C-alpha cells in the first residue's frame, strides 16, 4: 500500500505495535499484584501521593477502597488518565527488574528504524501515559523465548478479553495449587530477557492528558499542531476503527492495523477503511 506526502507516522501501541495479550495478560495483572504493597508502604509518601490524589475523592478514603476501584477499572479496561498514570508507576519496577519486557510484532522494530532512516518522524499516541509508553519502548524484548518464559513464571494473574470484544478483563490471583516458594525459586533461575531501548526512534509522545481522547478528532488536530505538520502529512495507524475515523475526520491519513487477537473488523469497516496485517505492507513516499 503506497501512501504519498507523509512526513510523520503516528502509532497506537496496544494491538498495533505489540499484542493486546501482553497488556491484558502481563501488564494489567502485574499492576494489580504490585498495588497492595505500594498502598501499605507508600500511601502518604510524596512519591505516591500525586498518583493517589489524582483519583476521585470517594476512591481514596482508604487503601482498600482505592485497590477495589483500580481492580474494577482494570476489569472493565477503562481508559481514564489517573488509572493509566498509576499503572505506569507500578509497571516501572517490573520492567527494571526484568519481570517482563515488551514483545513487539516482528515487523515493527525493523519498520520503525527504516522509516527513521528514510527521514520520517515517528510518534506515539496511546491511552497509556507517556511515562508508560517510554517504559514500554525502553525495554523491547529481543529474545522472545526467554521473555515468554519469564512472563510465564511471573504472570500468575491472568486477564482475558471477553468474547464480545469490549476489552473487558477478568482478573484472578494465584491459584490455590501454586507453591509461592517454588515460584520464587523458578523466577530467580531465569535471567533477565535481553532488551533494546528504542525510545530514541520516537520523537513525539502523546496520551489522553496532553492530546485528548483518542476517539475525538480534535485530539489529532492537537497532535498535528504539536508536531508542526499538516494533518495530511501524518499517517496514523491503529487497531481501533473509531480512532481511525477520528484521525481521518481531522484530515490525517489513517489505516487500520488488523493483528491476531484484535477485535475482528466488520465487513462494513473492511469495505470503507484501508486495513493492513503488517507494517511491511506500507510504502511511504515523502513527496506527493
Amino acid at each position: 500500500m503506497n501512501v504519498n506526502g507523509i512526513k510523520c507516522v503516528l502509532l497506537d501501541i496496544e494491538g498495533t505495535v505489540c499484542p493486546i495479550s501482553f497488556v491484558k495478560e502481563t501488564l494489567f495483572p502485574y499492576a494489580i499484584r504490585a498495588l497492595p504493597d505500594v498502598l501499605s508502604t507508600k500511601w502518604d509518601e510524596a512519591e505516591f501521593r500525586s498518583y493517589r490524589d489524582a483519583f476521585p475523592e470517594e476512591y481514596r478514603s482508604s487503601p482498600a477502597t482505592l485497590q477495589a476501584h483500580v481492580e474494577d477499572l482494570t476489569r472493565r479496561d477503562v481508559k481514564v488518565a489517573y488509572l493509566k498514570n498509576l499503572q505506569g508507576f507500578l509497571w516501572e519496577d517490573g520492567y527494571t527488574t526484568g519481570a517482563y519486557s515488551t514483545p513487539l510484532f516482528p515487523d515493527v522494530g525493523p519498520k520503525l528504524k527504516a522509516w527513521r532512516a528514510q527521514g520520517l518522524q515517528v510518534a506515539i499516541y496511546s491511552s497509556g501515559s507517556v511515562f508508560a509508553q517510554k517504559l514500554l519502548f525502553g525495554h523491547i524484548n529481543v529474545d522472545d523465548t526467554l521473555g515468554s518464559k519469564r512472563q510465564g513464571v511471573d504472570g500468575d494473574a491472568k486477564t482475558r478479553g471477553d468474547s464480545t470484544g469490549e476489552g473487558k478483563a477478568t482478573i484472578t490471583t494465584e491459584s490455590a495449587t501454586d507453591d509461592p516458594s517454588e515460584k520464587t525459586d523458578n523466577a530467580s533461575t531465569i535471567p533477565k530477557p535481553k532488551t533494546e531501548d528504542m525510545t530514541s526512534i520516537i520523537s513525539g509522545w502523546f496520551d489522553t492528558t496532553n492530546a485528548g481522547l483518542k476517539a475525538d478528532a480534535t485530539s489529532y488536530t492537537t497532535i498535528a499542531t504539536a508536531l508542526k505538520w499538516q494533518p495530511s502529512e501524518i499517517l496514523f495507524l491503529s487497531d481501533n476503527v473509531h480512532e481511525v475515523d477520528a484521525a481521518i475526520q481531522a484530515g490525517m491519513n489513517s489505516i487500520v492495523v488488523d493483528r491476531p487477537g484484535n477485535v475482528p473488523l466488520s465487513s462494513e469497516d473492511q469495505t470503507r477503511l484501508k486495513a493492513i496485517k503488517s507494517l511491511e505492507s506500507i510504502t511511504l513516499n515523502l513527496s506527493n
Side-chain angles (χ1 to χ4, degrees):
M1 184 179 297
N2 291 308
V3 187
N4 297 326
I6 298 300
K7 303 295 193 297
C8 174
V9 182
L10 179 67
L11 299 113
D12 171 51
I13 291 179
E14 181 183 345
T16 299
V17 302
C18 79
I20 288 176
S21 59
F22 172 64
V23 178
K24 298 287 195 297
E25 298 177 12
T26 298
L27 293 183
F28 282 2
Y30 189 92
I32 293 296
R33 292 199 311 278
L35 184 57
D37 181 64
V38 170
L39 293 177
S40 66
T41 60
K42 299 182 182 294
W43 182 258
D44 288 316
E45 291 187 8
E47 177 188 16
F48 180 70
R49 196 179 303 131
S50 62
Y51 297 98
R52 180 198 71 188
D53 291 348
F55 279 71
E57 185 174 0
E58 63 267 30
Y59 297 118
R60 47 184 165 89
S61 58
S62 70
T65 301
L66 193 145
Q67 176 83 31
H69 185 51
V70 169
E71 290 183 2
D72 174 60
L73 294 176
T74 303
R75 285 190 185 94
R76 295 186 288 121
D77 195 13
V78 177
K79 301 182 187 301
V80 62
Y82 60 80
L83 172 67
K84 295 302 179 182
N85 288 331
L86 175 61
Q87 286 174 331
F89 173 79
L90 296 169
W91 290 336
E92 182 177 19
D93 181 69
Y95 276 114
T96 56
T97 60
Y100 46 74
S101 54
T102 307
L104 294 183
F105 289 111
D107 54 287
V108 174
K111 198 66 173 179
L112 298 192
K113 293 174 183 178
W115 282 336
R116 286 295 294 132
Q118 189 179 348
L120 291 158
Q121 184 177 14
V122 178
I124 298 298
Y125 181 28
S126 172
S127 58
S129 67
V130 167
F131 179 69
Q133 294 171 26
K134 291 181 178 180
L135 282 175
L136 186 146
F137 276 94
H139 300 84
I140 300 301
N141 186 4
V142 295
D143 184 350
D144 187 64
T145 300
L146 180 57
S148 298
K149 286 180 180 178
R150 174 164 286 275
Q151 289 162 26
V153 170
D154 293 336
D156 320 301
K158 299 294 183 183
T159 59
R160 300 279 185 232
D162 71 358
S163 60
T164 64
E166 293 297 325
K168 296 179 181 178
T170 300
I171 300 172
T172 59
T173 55
E174 288 182 357
S175 70
T177 59
D178 284 342
D179 181 342
S181 62
E182 180 180 348
K183 176 170 10 39
T184 301
D185 291 342
N186 288 343
S188 65
T189 62
I190 299 176
K192 289 184 180 181
K194 184 179 179 181
T195 62
E196 177 183 2
D197 184 350
M198 291 181 59
T199 54
S200 62
I201 294 176
I202 314 300
S203 55
W205 306 89
F206 300 94
D207 59 16
T208 58
T209 299
N210 65 9
L213 298 177
K214 296 187 72 181
D216 289 351
T218 55
S219 301
Y220 297 88
T221 303
T222 297
I223 290 172
T225 300
L227 293 173
K228 299 181 180 180
W229 298 114
Q230 293 298 316
S232 61
E233 296 175 313
I234 299 173
L235 172 65
F236 176 60
L237 303 174
S238 174
D239 67 304
N240 188 306
V241 296
H242 301 297
E243 296 171 7
V244 168
D245 284 336
I248 292 172
Q249 184 180 345
M252 289 186 184
N253 295 274
S254 191
I255 299 173
V256 179
V257 183
D258 184 14
R259 300 287 197 179
N262 291 2
V263 176
L265 295 175
S266 68
S267 56
E268 178 185 356
D269 289 335
Q270 291 180 46
T271 299
R272 70 185 185 85
L273 297 172
K274 297 177 181 178
I276 57 169
K277 294 185 179 296
S278 168
L279 303 191
E280 289 297 333
S281 301
I282 302 174
T283 299
L284 299 180
N285 302 309
L286 275 66
S287 59
N288 286 308

